[in-house]
């Protein structure tokens, strides 16, 4: 299945993509994780992206279109994938349409009042797993053992900028994919396990038909 997880910052895209990836054996492709790993390694791409990410702005379309396009061509994506955080503009969605078709867009809707707390309390791992301080977490990732860190763009002022960018540039994708009949709405305010169940139901229903 070729899936897109759409949602505001902090909606739970990464959290759910990680769980659904394991459950259905689909590669989890997060353009945000790829960019952050490039920043960490000090690559040219990372250096180009850092200023945009730190300001809560989108990295230019052509850069992320190349990253995502190359990644979905890899052999592990031949039976499907989960795109987390891509596409994020109509131009990116149009570019994706040229290289592949999409089976469903999981739109994780979350109450904006929950977002700042979710994001400022988040702790990340290089493996892509994310946690929240309210979970009573330790210093290391329960999945791979690496040390957890706080993202540079997870400060309150940057989160506000990211929410504005989402409303202006990414939310129009709900209409874009709605017109194609691909949007599946999921309640992102619910408990994590309930959100996972709701997404699983969408996938199971799709596979039955
Ligand atoms: P990206 O990394 O994609 O960030 P984002 O879209 O802002 O989304 P987040 O990762 O902040 O939220 P999430 O929905 O994954 O939430 P999570 O599951 O972690 O992008 C970062 C930057 O990279 C962008 O700003 C941009 O600059 C650049 N970029 C990336 N892709 C790009 C593209 N395509 N085009 C251009 N630029 C691009 O959950 C958040 C917290 O909430 C966690 O602590 C989690 O434990 C908790 N939580 C999750 N679900 C629940 C729940 N149900 N109940 C309670 N807590 C929950
Ligand atoms: Mg994420």
């Amino acid at each position: 299945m070729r899936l897109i997880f759409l949602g505001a910052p902090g909606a739970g895209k990464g959290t759910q993509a990680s769980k659904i990836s394991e459950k259905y054996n689909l590669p989890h492709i997060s353009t945000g994780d790829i960019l952050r790993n490039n920043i960490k390694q000090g690559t040219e791409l990372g250096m180009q992206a850092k200023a945009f990410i730190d300001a809560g702005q989108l990295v230019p379309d052509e850069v992320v279109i190349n990253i995502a396009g190359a990644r979905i061509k890899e052999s592990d994506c031949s039976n499907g994938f989960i795109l987390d955080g891509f596409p994020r503009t109509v131009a990116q969605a149009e570019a994706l349409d040229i290289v592949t078709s999409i089976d469903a867009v999981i739109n994780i809707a979350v109450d904006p009042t929950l977002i700042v707390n979710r994001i400022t309390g988040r702790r990340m791992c290089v493996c892509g797993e994310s946690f929240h301080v309210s979970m009573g977490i330790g210093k290391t990732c329960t999945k791979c053992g690496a040390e957890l860190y706080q993202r540079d763009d997870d400060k309150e002022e940057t989160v506000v900028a990211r929410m504005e960018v989402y409303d202006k540039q990414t939310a129009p994708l709900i209409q874009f994919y709605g017109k194609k009949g691909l949007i599946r709405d999921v309640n992102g305010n619910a408990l994590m396990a309930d959100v996972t169940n709701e997404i699983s139901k969408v996938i199971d229903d799709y596979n039955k038909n």
Side-chain angles (χ1 to χ4, degrees):
M1 241 192 136
R2 290 168 298 243
L3 298 169
I4 292 172
F5 281 17
L6 192 63
K13 301 180 295 295
T15 302
Q16 295 302 330
S18 165
K19 296 198 173 8
I20 295 292
S21 159
E22 263 180 39
K23 184 168 175 185
Y24 293 92
N25 194 24
L26 291 168
H28 170 193
I29 303 172
S30 157
T31 39
D33 286 344
I34 295 172
L35 292 166
R36 279 185 290 279
N37 288 339
N38 272 276
I39 293 174
K40 199 155 185 278
Q41 288 157 16
T43 68
E44 176 81 35
L45 171 66
M47 287 189 291
Q48 235 184 319
K50 188 172 173 17
F52 293 102
I53 295 181
D54 287 352
Q57 299 301 315
L58 295 184
V59 173
D61 284 336
E62 57 275 18
V63 175
V64 281
I65 287 169
N66 283 338
I67 295 175
R71 181 64 187 86
I72 62 177
K73 274 194 204 130
E74 287 178 33
S75 59
D76 63 329
C77 295
S78 58
N79 289 324
F81 48 75
I82 302 170
L83 286 173
D84 157 13
F86 180 91
R88 258 175 144 93
T89 63
V90 171
Q92 292 177 22
E94 286 169 346
L96 184 65
D97 265 354
I98 297 170
V99 293
T100 190
S101 62
I102 293 297
D103 298 312
V105 177
I106 309 290
N107 179 36
I108 308 178
V110 68
D111 186 331
T113 60
L114 297 177
I115 291 179
V116 170
N117 171 276
R118 280 196 185 183
I119 290 194
T120 52
R122 171 170 52 194
R123 298 296 179 268
M124 292 285 297
C125 178
V126 279
C127 77
E129 200 67 12
S130 61
F131 303 87
H132 194 272
V133 287
S134 64
M135 295 166 155
I137 50 170
K139 283 190 162 38
T140 54
C141 175
T142 51
K143 199 171 171 188
C144 76
E147 198 172 334
L148 300 180
Y149 69 96
Q150 189 164 17
R151 275 168 48 174
D152 287 341
D153 63 341
D154 278 357
K155 301 183 199 79
E156 188 163 345
E157 60 274 22
T158 319
V159 176
V160 172
R162 283 159 58 198
M163 286 165 72
E164 283 172 9
V165 166
Y166 169 81
D167 285 338
K168 281 203 192 104
Q169 297 184 259
T170 308
L173 292 180
I174 299 173
Q175 214 191 352
F176 179 92
Y177 286 115
K179 281 189 194 146
K180 296 175 186 282
L182 293 176
I183 290 283
R184 301 289 176 269
D185 290 307
V186 164
N187 175 15
N189 303 322
L191 293 174
M192 282 180 204
D194 293 339
V195 183
T196 310
N197 287 337
E198 223 187 313
I199 299 173
S200 302
K201 194 172 174 314
V202 170
I203 297 173
D204 295 342
D205 285 348
Y206 178 90
N207 287 331
K208 265 187 229 150
N209 297 324

